[in-house]
Amino acid sequence: MKILVAAKRVIDYAVKIRVKPDKSGVDAANVKMSMNPFCEIALEEALRIKEAGNASEVVVVSMGGSQCVETLRTGLAMGADRAIHVLTDSSLFPLTVAKLLQALVATEQPRLLILGKQAIDDDCNQTGQMVAGLLRWPQGTFASKVVVDNSKNKVTVEREIDEGLETLNLRLPAVLTTDLRLNQPRYATLPNIMKAKKKTITKVTPEELKVQISSDLDILEVVEPPKRKGGVMLSSVDELLDKLKNEVHVL
């Protein structure tokens, strides 16, 4: 069984974000970039499925400019067998990414497509659901546990919902999106980083995949969240209740 994993290049989670002066977006110049944490979890789970003997190949794919090669090299160093780079300098939104993944699925013929549940830069949480709809594949979103059973041609997904834990049995092929509690991604060791330089990265373009890139949404404005006000020490419960009622208006 082949597993296809999507990996997005984002600003590193530890970087303090700066909004552009014109409020058109986030300033990404000269800041550290890394693989989206949820995508790391998706790749780690694919590697564990392969190590358990339930997959023969793990392919990682990233979309964007030439810098995405760094993200793919990280994925290869973690243990992916090969990589695909969809080369484009255009802005990509969830529906376009879903269409590109649909085209890659038609070419690669994986039995399992795994994505992070969302990217930490836009927090859209849409691509996995969209590509499942386009492919007409069953989907298991926010997966906190995954068990593959090739003999029964199914994957069991445990997911956290408001009421507790929900368990789904999905027939393969299927789409999964990963939650934070699914696993702890491994670190790429120096020997594997060196080996990754020899692994194959195939470059394709949206035109070759016959996907037209279009903007299906417009970003009107990006602003920083309001600064948090300092705390106030209160002398009694009555004073607290008075502020909640007359100042905050929550009572």
Side-chain angles (χ1 to χ4, degrees):
M1 180 177 76
K2 183 190 295 185
I3 303 176
L4 185 64
V5 180
K8 186 176 183 181
R9 182 175 184 268
V10 299
I11 295 177
D12 189 83
Y13 70 91
V15 172
K16 182 175 174 58
I17 299 299
R18 300 189 307 271
V19 175
K20 293 179 180 179
D22 61 1
K23 298 182 180 181
S24 62
V26 172
D27 186 2
N30 302 315
V31 298
K32 181 182 178 182
M33 308 293 285
S34 61
M35 187 186 298
N36 177 49
F38 289 101
C39 298
E40 285 185 320
I41 294 170
L43 179 55
E44 174 65 27
E45 193 62 23
L47 295 173
R48 293 187 184 190
I49 292 171
K50 181 187 175 184
E51 290 166 355
N54 291 314
S56 57
E57 185 181 29
V58 175
V59 182
V60 60
V61 57
S62 189
M63 305 174 188
S66 57
Q67 301 90 342
C68 286
V69 171
E70 299 173 8
T71 303
L72 292 172
R73 289 292 179 198
T74 299
L76 293 171
M78 287 177 65
D81 297 290
R82 58 187 177 90
I84 300 173
H85 180 198
V86 181
L87 181 60
T88 176
D89 291 322
S90 302
S91 297
L92 298 174
F93 295 105
L95 182 56
T96 301
V97 174
K99 290 178 179 178
L100 289 167
L101 287 173
Q102 180 190 24
L104 287 171
V105 165
T107 302
E108 291 291 326
Q109 295 293 308
R111 299 286 287 166
L112 202 56
L113 173 60
I114 309 181
L115 308 86
K117 72 172 184 178
Q118 65 194 72
I120 62 172
D121 53 0
D122 56 22
D123 282 329
C124 280
N125 182 19
Q126 296 173 346
T127 305
Q129 294 88 328
M130 286 180 172
V131 71
L134 292 171
L135 293 169
R136 298 184 179 274
W137 285 8
Q139 59 180 296
T141 57
F142 315 142
S144 58
K145 184 178 180 181
V146 175
V147 179
V148 175
D149 188 342
N150 279 325
S151 64
K152 296 182 179 179
N153 195 40
K154 72 173 186 178
V155 56
T156 302
V157 178
E158 194 173 272
R159 56 196 302 269
E160 296 181 6
I161 59 175
D162 291 340
E163 292 78 13
L165 293 177
E166 180 182 66
T167 302
L168 304 176
N169 283 324
L170 310 176
R171 285 195 173 277
L172 295 172
V175 176
L176 304 182
T177 70
T178 59
D179 207 348
L180 279 175
R181 294 172 184 82
L182 179 58
N183 61 52
Q184 179 65 43
R186 69 192 68 187
Y187 290 102
T189 62
L190 182 58
N192 286 336
I193 292 173
M194 300 305 293
K195 291 177 183 177
K197 295 179 180 181
K198 299 180 181 179
K199 292 184 179 180
T200 303
I201 298 180
T202 304
K203 285 183 170 57
V204 295
T205 64
E207 291 75 21
E208 291 172 334
L209 294 173
K210 298 181 180 179
V211 175
Q212 181 178 359
I213 294 180
S214 60
S215 176
D216 44 17
L217 60 88
D218 294 319
I219 298 176
L220 301 180
E221 187 181 54
V222 176
V223 296
E224 293 185 5
K227 293 184 178 179
R228 188 173 182 177
K229 296 180 180 179
V232 178
M233 295 294 292
L234 304 177
S235 59
S236 67
V237 174
D238 290 337
E239 188 178 356
L240 171 62
L241 293 174
D242 179 68
K243 285 187 174 294
L244 291 175
K245 181 177 180 180
N246 299 315
E247 294 184 19
V248 187
H249 305 294
V250 294
L251 293 178

